Amino acid sequence: MTALDAHSGLTTALRFPEGFRWGTATAAYQIEGAAAEDGRTPSIWDTFSRTPGKVRNGDTGDIAADHYHRVDEDVALMRRLGVTDYRFSVAWPRVQPTGRGPAVRKGLDFYRRLADTLLEAGIRPVVTLYHWDLPQELEDAGGWPHRETAYRFAEYAGITADALGDRVATWTTLNEPWCAAFLGYGNGVHAPGRTSDLAALRAAHHLNLAHGLAARALRGALPGSAEVSLTLNLHAVRARSQAPEDLDAARRIDAVGNRIFLDPVFHGRLPEDLVRDTASVTDWSFVRDGDLATTAAPIDSLGINYYSPAVVAAGASESPSPWAGAERHVRFEPAPGPRTAMDWPVDADGLHELLVRLRDELPGVPLVITENGAAYDDYADPSGNVKDPERVAYLHAHLAAVHRALADGADVRGYFLWSLLDNFEWAYGYSKRFGIVHVDFATQRRTLKDSALWYAEVIARGGLGEA
């Protein structure tokens, strides 16, 4: 019996298609550090993390995993694991410190060197342009609720594509715009920490607009063979019961959690029920003529970030709520099953449900799992090993769900495990560990966890189970 079989308990192989992309992923603010080096200026997360009470233990991303100075070491780890792709984000304030005007050469040089190092290791670089680190100067000018921010983002996208387009073939405009809009401006648990339903809805629209404008800018700067994408954290929403009021609660969350992005991006329209649900907040007059044609700019694939499902019932959410227009009508119920260190339920069926839904609703759109993983309270034992069987079980179950979706006709092209490294986990600071590589933040020593060794075997085999 191999180590893989010992972890999985499988005797039947689950093979993935030839050319399936096996990757891992990170985000700039969570790992880079070097927060004030080489011209980088503060982002909204620098400001937010320095605001007392916003981040656990007062942690900041000033040093994080020090990836800015440890690129060679981290790419060598990826090469050892055998990943085919690496998804990383570009820090907007490192490239364009004020969010306007010319780029900083040293900032672009860092990402050029990262891409070159990956290519030399046989790893395909996958760029995400926005993983929540808006330059603080743009937030001071109004942030995402302000329309002009979308145009500034398109300019930044063009600058970055001009610099990296000869090295990078896969580009994602935004990561999880729902979180940026509704956690950043709705309930304020993420940067910049505002609490306004109207600001959240305006931000959501302007993020959609920014995506469309950036997609257009990327097409103008990149070779025709380049892949342009968007990553959404779609919610696998389940009603507690088949009672009409519970089904309506699920509909409301689907509207403000999923279709607020899916409909403008893929159909060039706003969901009619979302407009009705939020009529007490806004008349949506900030959506101008031509905007929805722009948001529907064609893309080559859709990225899906999935961690756990949500169970909802009729009721009311705690205030402040990120669910604009739904907070007085929806209550979130605890989902059954084991839970991660984030207190998120473990349920791989939700990922299968999402992929099958997208198979039916977006025929012809290739799908990529751009984030999937789990935080657990793992640690290096006295011998220096990091055993994380819960994470291995989580990953195994979710990869099996992806395989089942493939068998059911979903066009899934790749899987990016979140995350390569333990990192700054947003408002949780360094208290939560998602990495398959353990980071001792005092020494920056990296240690492959058992889950990393398991994932390396999965990649080498091209799937789960026996060879």
Side-chain angles (χ1 to χ4, degrees):
M1 179 177 287
T2 69
L4 177 62
D5 297 326
H7 281 305
S8 69
L10 279 183
T11 58
T12 302
L14 299 181
R15 288 284 172 267
F16 284 72
E18 191 72 26
F20 191 81
R21 296 161 67 175
W22 296 100
T24 187
T26 63
Y29 189 72
Q30 293 183 272
I31 68 165
E32 282 183 4
E37 290 187 36
D38 295 335
R40 185 189 179 279
T41 57
S43 73
I44 54 175
W45 270 97
D46 292 282
T47 302
F48 187 79
S49 65
R50 286 175 172 75
T51 303
K54 295 297 186 182
V55 174
R56 188 170 296 184
N57 301 320
D59 292 339
T60 74
D62 286 0
I63 299 173
D66 198 30
H67 175 70
Y68 191 78
H69 300 112
R70 297 172 182 267
V71 165
D72 292 341
E73 178 182 2
D74 291 340
V75 173
L77 288 172
M78 286 183 258
R79 185 173 189 172
R80 179 176 171 187
L81 296 178
V83 298
T84 64
D85 293 66
Y86 173 53
R87 176 177 176 253
F88 62 92
S89 76
V90 173
W92 190 349
R94 195 178 295 287
V95 166
Q96 199 184 30
T98 66
R100 298 179 177 84
V104 171
R105 182 184 58 79
K106 286 186 177 181
L108 289 174
D109 283 349
F110 169 72
Y111 296 107
R112 289 188 183 103
R113 186 167 74 84
L114 171 57
D116 287 346
T117 307
L118 290 165
L119 292 168
E120 289 166 5
I123 300 168
R124 179 165 38 190
V126 177
V127 162
T128 298
L129 285 167
Y130 187 71
H131 201 130
W132 309 348
D133 44 5
L134 184 71
Q136 182 61 44
E137 192 163 317
L138 289 185
E139 173 60 23
D140 294 341
W144 286 112
H146 182 51
R147 183 181 181 86
E148 182 64 19
T149 304
Y151 293 90
R152 300 282 64 76
F153 180 71
E155 178 186 63
Y156 153 68
I159 288 171
T160 309
D162 283 338
L164 299 178
D166 60 341
R167 298 164 166 85
V168 177
T170 304
W171 294 76
T172 301
T173 55
L174 307 173
N175 178 79
E176 297 186 352
W178 185 88
C179 293
F182 292 97
L183 300 184
Y185 295 92
N187 70 350
V189 300
H190 278 193
R194 293 203 234 169
T195 54
S196 163
D197 280 356
L198 176 58
L201 293 170
R202 289 177 64 95
H205 173 63
H206 293 143
L207 283 156
N208 281 336
L209 181 62
H211 158 71
L213 293 168
R216 184 186 302 166
L218 291 172
R219 298 288 188 203
L222 296 172
S225 59
E227 177 184 350
V228 176
S229 184
L230 167 70
T231 284
L232 301 176
N233 60 311
L234 297 175
H235 300 78
V237 185
R238 299 168 180 165
R240 179 186 59 179
S241 76
Q242 293 301 299
E245 57 270 25
D246 288 347
L247 293 173
D248 187 64
R251 178 201 61 76
R252 287 176 179 271
I253 296 303
D254 186 59
V256 75
N258 295 333
R259 288 181 284 116
I260 192 171
F261 300 105
L262 289 172
D263 281 17
V265 170
F266 291 100
H267 305 298
R269 68 190 182 213
L270 288 172
E272 293 181 1
D273 57 334
L274 173 69
V275 174
R276 291 195 302 270
D277 291 345
T278 57
S280 63
V281 180
T282 180
D283 61 3
W284 292 84
S285 58
F286 49 82
V287 180
R288 298 184 186 176
D289 290 347
D291 281 4
L292 294 172
T294 300
T295 64
I299 58 176
D300 301 301
S301 64
L302 175 65
I304 307 300
N305 291 357
Y306 174 83
Y307 293 93
S308 62
V311 178
V312 299
S317 297
E318 294 182 5
S319 184
S321 164
W323 305 99
E327 55 264 75
R328 294 191 301 276
H329 304 275
V330 179
R331 181 177 72 252
F332 285 80
E333 300 270 311
R339 308 183 87 79
T340 71
M342 298 290 288
D343 199 31
W344 296 347
V346 178
D347 188 335
D349 288 341
L351 179 55
H352 177 264
E353 292 166 16
L354 276 178
L355 294 173
V356 170
R357 170 185 175 172
L358 295 169
R359 174 203 66 189
D360 296 339
E361 294 185 5
L362 301 176
V365 178
L367 308 172
V368 178
I369 309 304
T370 39
E371 286 185 26
N372 178 241
Y376 289 101
D377 296 325
D378 36 54
Y379 58 91
D381 66 21
S383 62
N385 298 317
V386 183
K387 301 183 183 303
D388 54 345
E390 299 94 346
R391 182 175 290 106
V392 170
Y394 178 100
L395 296 171
H396 180 273
H398 286 77
L399 277 170
V402 174
H403 189 274
R404 185 154 47 99
L406 280 162
D408 290 338
D411 185 8
V412 186
R413 304 287 181 89
Y415 177 90
F416 288 73
L417 191 158
W418 185 271
S419 173
L420 175 67
L421 302 170
D422 288 337
N423 56 35
F424 175 86
E425 186 48 42
W426 307 116
Y428 292 92
Y430 297 101
S431 68
K432 304 298 180 186
R433 293 180 177 269
F434 275 88
I436 56 171
V437 176
H438 180 273
V439 178
D440 180 330
F441 292 106
T443 65
Q444 294 297 336
R445 180 178 178 180
R446 274 84 160 127
T447 303
L448 295 176
K449 302 179 185 180
D450 279 3
S451 57
L453 302 175
W454 174 86
Y455 190 48
E457 290 194 48
V458 170
I459 295 169
R461 294 169 180 263
L464 302 168
E466 292 185 336

